[in-house]
Amino acid sequence: MKLNTENLTLLAIVVGIAFGVALPELALQQEIIGSLFLALLKMLIIPLIFASIFMAIVGIGGVNELKGVGTRAFTYYFSTTALAVLLGVIIVNIINPGAGGSIEVAVGSAPEIKEFSVSDFILSFVPTNIIASLSNGSVIQVIFFTVLFAVATLHMPEERQLPLKEFFNSLNDAMMVLAKWVIKLSPIGVFSLISYVVAEKGLESLIPLWEYAITVVLALLLHGSITLPAILYFVTKTSPLQYFAQVQKAVVLAFSTASSSATLPVSIEVSQERGGVSRKSAGFILPLGATVNMDGTALYESIAVIFIANLAGIDLTLWQQILIFMTATLASVGAAGIPGAGIVMMVIVLETVGLPVEYISVILVVDRILDMFRTATNVWGDLVGAKVLDR
Ligand code: ASP
């Protein structure tokens, strides 16, 4: 086995888990290393999104072309997310974790979460002050602004467009060089992040909820290893295994950080440099996908909600299952690409379906570990999307 960054990063997962189990005290003390690595990744996100979306839109060439790409992107996002939820609902109905009071759990109090409002949700896409959005790292607002800004640029005479194109082109390239440097640190960063999570959460937290955890992981694996590769293969005739090998660094990082946003610089880098995705597609589809397209989160929401219904001894009607299907899809769109975002959105699903929100406290115990699996699926879904839409 070659000792390149990729293999070392994979090794870091295994060694990190072992270290977290064997020496939890030490693993907790070295948190700073993982935090530093995460900070470096996050440092890249905003300038990179700004530059890459600008260059992508300018490269796409016009409003009509943009409409075409946008429509195809959303069709891909929506259909893969719907397939993921459907798979989640089927698997959870087969395994039926928590049914018939098979799990003894203590229900705590409902987590404090702000009421969800549709108008706030819609308004949250539009920045009132773009400098504030840039400095808060509000990804979706930066995307919204940059798309409009780039389209406006295309409406100017050619010679006025040039300075902006030159500037963003160079900014983009410089950010990619920085991304490559940070990626070189992945083995250490991943080792630190994983061993910390294992030491902090303890793998034993999975034991009482093992049936539920296995249901989630199994469904995520099926989606990631069958549904998405099948779409990739049928649309692009690319070998899914080969493509996965090319971009796996991003998937591993998504797993370790549990954040699609923090992984974004790496997804953009590997998909272009190794996966053969064009800059236009990677620059537009990946940032958008990192916040909107979350197959893993949607799948997880549907399983978690049905599991909670089982725990609470509530038989779901067909209408409630359909509602779960719709709200889980929407909740995954609304979830930010940060750790634990999915569980916050789950309140909405539970409330819409009329299930007890307090039960979230039960699954919160294992949420971080499952978050790693669903984020890896989210990012793999984005990477497949970039390749598919590149066609
Ligand atoms: N952590 C996930 C992500 O960044 C979102 C979630 O909590 O489901 O993709």
Side-chain angles (χ1 to χ4, degrees):
M1 193 165 92
K2 267 201 300 186
L3 280 189
N4 51 21
T5 323
E6 245 132 42
N7 291 334
L8 282 175
T9 311
L10 284 179
L11 197 66
I13 296 189
V14 182
V15 183
I17 294 175
F19 185 71
V21 172
L23 299 167
E25 305 250 308
L26 218 58
L28 289 176
Q29 276 166 19
Q30 55 77 53
E31 186 190 9
I32 170 87
I33 304 176
S35 307
L36 208 62
F37 176 63
L38 258 185
L40 288 171
L41 280 172
K42 288 187 189 158
M43 171 185 90
L44 305 178
I45 302 172
I46 293 295
L48 190 62
I49 298 183
F50 206 24
S52 66
I53 296 221
F54 182 89
M55 288 314 294
I57 305 252
V58 170
I60 289 168
V63 178
N64 285 335
E65 289 81 354
L66 183 65
K67 265 192 219 142
V69 177
T71 312
R72 278 192 291 273
F74 277 97
T75 310
Y76 171 84
Y77 295 158
F78 182 75
S79 46
T80 50
T81 304
L83 284 173
V85 177
L86 198 64
L87 182 68
V89 173
I90 292 172
I91 303 275
V92 72
N93 275 304
I94 294 174
I95 300 184
N96 230 349
S102 61
I103 299 175
E104 282 290 317
V105 287
V107 179
S109 50
E112 281 281 326
I113 286 164
K114 226 177 84 205
E115 248 271 345
F116 178 78
S117 115
V118 179
S119 53
D120 283 352
F121 175 67
I122 296 171
L123 282 172
S124 73
F125 282 76
V126 187
T128 47
N129 172 354
I130 184 60
I131 306 292
S133 311
L134 289 168
S135 71
N136 294 334
S138 167
V139 173
I140 202 79
Q141 295 185 351
V142 173
I143 294 180
F144 186 88
F145 176 81
T146 315
V147 170
L148 289 182
F149 180 61
V151 171
T153 304
L154 286 173
H155 279 79
M156 299 195 299
E158 185 70 35
E159 74 277 6
R160 304 301 305 276
Q161 296 180 18
L162 267 183
L164 281 174
K165 286 183 183 165
E166 288 276 319
F167 171 76
F168 280 107
N169 207 357
S170 302
L171 178 63
N172 196 38
D173 287 354
M175 295 315 295
M176 293 304 276
V177 175
L178 266 181
K180 279 201 192 88
W181 290 348
V182 177
I183 289 172
K184 287 222 180 340
L185 302 174
S186 328
I188 306 172
V190 166
F191 167 80
S192 171
L193 289 167
I194 297 259
S195 59
Y196 181 81
V197 170
V198 169
E200 201 207 6
K201 302 290 172 199
L203 288 182
E204 65 281 1
S205 65
L206 288 171
I207 297 170
L209 295 173
W210 68 272
E211 251 186 329
Y212 159 68
I214 285 185
T215 311
V216 172
V217 174
L218 180 74
L220 289 172
L221 286 178
L222 287 177
H223 184 71
S225 65
I226 297 176
T227 315
L228 292 173
I231 296 172
L232 178 68
Y233 181 73
F234 286 116
V235 181
T236 68
K237 296 283 172 277
T238 311
S239 147
L241 271 180
Q242 194 189 353
Y243 184 61
F244 184 79
Q246 288 162 342
V247 299
Q248 50 129 305
K249 234 188 290 179
V251 181
V252 169
L253 216 64
F255 182 79
S256 324
T257 58
S259 167
S260 304
S261 296
T263 309
L264 188 56
V266 184
S267 323
I268 295 182
E269 204 268 347
V270 289
S271 61
Q272 286 178 50
E273 306 274 320
R274 308 220 39 211
V277 176
S278 73
R279 182 156 100 172
K280 267 188 284 187
S281 303
F284 179 64
I285 306 291
L286 290 174
L288 200 60
T291 42
V292 203
N293 181 40
M294 294 195 182
D295 297 0
T297 300
L299 182 158
Y300 155 82
E301 307 259 325
S302 60
I303 292 185
V305 170
I306 295 176
F307 173 63
I308 286 179
N310 280 347
L311 285 184
I314 297 170
D315 266 334
L316 293 169
T317 59
L318 181 66
W319 170 238
Q320 278 174 314
Q321 300 232 14
I322 295 173
L323 262 185
I324 291 176
F325 181 85
M326 294 190 310
T327 42
T329 307
L330 286 179
S332 75
V333 175
I338 54 172
I343 197 117
V344 177
M345 296 307 280
M346 222 168 76
V347 177
I348 304 169
V349 185
L350 289 171
E351 279 181 345
T352 318
V353 185
L355 291 172
V357 179
E358 310 77 66
Y359 276 82
I360 287 191
S361 62
V362 176
I363 57 172
L364 214 49
V365 189
V366 290
D367 186 64
R368 173 62 199 224
I369 293 174
L370 297 181
D371 197 357
M372 296 160 77
F373 287 94
R374 61 182 194 254
T375 310
T377 312
N378 289 346
V379 168
W380 173 228
D382 294 337
L383 288 160
V384 170
K387 190 82 180 169
V388 164
L389 293 154
D390 207 20
R391 284 273 300 168

